[in-house]
Amino acid sequence: MYPKTLRHATCGAALLFAAACSLARPWNREQLGQEVNIAFTIRNNLLFLPAATIDGRSGRFLFGSAEPQTVLDAKFAQTTRGTAHSLQFNQHDSLRFAPTVVDLHGIGDGIIGADAWSGHAVTIDYRSGLLTYQKEGIHPDMMVVYNYTDAPMINVIVDGRKVPAIVDTASPDTLVLPRAGSPAERRTVRVQIADTDFGNVDVRFADVAAPRVGNRLLSRFLVSIDYGRRQVGLWRDPRTAL
């Protein structure tokens, strides 16, 4: 017979394990063959895909949720041929895309945009470091869902006022707001997203056409973007502190 205290500890551990396994999460419904998990790393608060290759070549490719078209850095593009390119995740999964070429000024060799996903969906699990390519769309159960018409957008409450903001994983910031004639500066405002009150948040006012919410706030959620249905789903991740 186990000592009484050991039996209690064993039972407690079993209960904790069962609770962890039964935690309902939107990504638990993975269907074999319909989803591809792509590991990412976070550097300078940007999401890089180290296992991805373009035309078989490795590089520093980051995920840009708001980019309508994939961008290749001019130096990297010099080593590729033609206008059609292939993005590979592993030996079996690849996507075709036609990028635009610009000078990325050392940020990376490319920014993978919406066109690469061919109207399908992606889910970003910041805590696990996984970007999941979902061929059948997102699973919006338990999520706060937003519809959009152009770039992926959600509603952000700024000092009590609802503001549509672009979901921009190529932004390492919290929230960037149009300065509208005011000085380009940082200020503190109260921010609420998807029924979550972040309290006072340091944000940036800059020359942008529309508000943009970046990784410092997005990383508190599981973020799903369905480029085909034009929906964004947010699920407050309890594993990540505010």
Side-chain angles (χ1 to χ4, degrees), residues 47-237:
L47 280 56
F48 287 86
L49 310 174
T53 61
I54 290 180
D55 300 336
R57 296 188 59 235
S58 299
R60 295 175 300 131
F61 308 122
L62 61 106
F63 171 54
S65 58
E67 292 291 338
Q69 187 175 9
T70 296
V71 177
L72 291 184
D73 180 70
K75 291 182 180 178
F76 183 88
Q78 288 176 356
T79 62
T80 61
R81 296 180 179 179
T83 56
H85 300 274
S86 178
L87 173 67
Q88 296 98 20
F89 307 130
N90 50 46
Q91 292 181 344
H92 309 289
D93 297 281
S94 63
L95 296 169
R96 304 288 289 179
F97 67 95
T100 185
V101 176
V102 301
D103 184 358
L104 290 177
H105 302 287
I107 295 174
D109 296 311
I111 303 176
I112 308 303
D115 61 320
W117 311 111
S118 303
H120 297 294
V122 294
T123 288
I124 312 159
D125 186 342
Y126 286 87
R127 178 65 180 253
S128 300
L130 288 177
L131 178 71
T132 302
Y133 169 50
Q134 298 166 284
K135 300 175 185 178
E136 291 190 344
I138 65 175
H139 307 307
D141 300 350
M142 301 182 294
M143 288 187 160
V144 179
V145 177
Y146 305 87
N147 296 309
Y148 67 90
T149 56
D150 189 9
M153 300 187 82
I154 62 173
N155 290 328
V156 179
I157 309 300
V158 179
D159 286 339
R161 183 169 58 95
K162 183 169 71 174
V163 176
I166 295 172
V167 176
D168 188 3
T169 60
S171 169
D173 214 324
T174 52
L175 183 65
V176 182
L177 297 170
R179 67 187 186 93
S182 62
E185 60 183 5
R186 301 198 70 89
R187 287 188 234 159
T188 298
V189 299
R190 184 175 180 181
V191 174
Q192 297 167 274
I193 300 175
D195 303 322
T196 299
D197 191 340
F198 288 94
N200 291 328
V201 176
D202 179 62
V203 305
R204 182 163 63 96
F205 285 78
D207 292 319
V208 293
R212 308 180 83 91
V213 57
N215 291 319
R216 292 192 188 280
L217 288 177
L218 293 174
S219 59
R220 272 54 176 179
F221 299 90
L222 186 84
V223 181
S224 290
I225 304 172
D226 193 322
Y227 290 103
R229 297 188 181 102
R230 294 186 176 274
Q231 291 182 323
V232 176
L234 296 182
W235 181 74
R236 171 72 187 104
D237 194 334

